[in-house]
Amino acid sequence: MPRKPVYEQVVDDVTASIRSGTLKPGDKLPTIAELARQYSSSDNPIKRALWILDERGWIEVHQGKGSFVAPEPPA
C-alpha cells in the first residue's frame, strides 16, 4: 500500500490531536521548520497541510505569529 503524501499525514495528525484534546483551542502549532524536520520533509508539503487545515476551520494562521488551533474547531 503506498504511503500517504506528507501533507495528508500532517492534516491527519493535527486533526487527530485536536479531536483527542492533545491540542486545545488557542494552542500554537510547531513552526513550519519544526514540522518539516519532524516529518523529514521540505516546507512546501507542510505549508499545504496548514493551508488545508486553515480552510477546513481546524486552525487559524496569523502571518508572522504562527498557526493556532481554532477557537471552535469542527466536531
Side-chain angles (χ1 to χ4, degrees):
M1 189 168 137
R3 284 188 57 205
K4 277 186 187 175
V6 171
Y7 76 91
E8 284 184 12
Q9 290 176 38
V10 175
V11 169
D12 290 350
D13 290 351
V14 171
T15 54
S17 292
I18 294 170
R19 280 193 177 115
S20 71
T22 306
L23 285 172
K24 295 173 177 34
D27 283 356
K28 187 174 182 184
L29 272 61
T31 65
I32 290 170
E34 290 167 343
L35 287 168
R37 261 195 310 280
Q38 188 178 328
Y39 286 90
S40 302
S41 166
S42 66
D43 289 357
N44 284 337
I46 305 302
K47 290 176 184 174
R48 183 173 181 185
L50 295 177
W51 183 85
I52 291 168
L53 289 162
D54 188 25
E55 285 292 302
R56 293 182 182 170
W58 288 99
I59 67 169
E60 293 179 346
V61 178
H62 299 281
Q63 197 70 36
K65 293 183 180 161
S67 303
F68 301 84
V69 177
E72 296 181 24

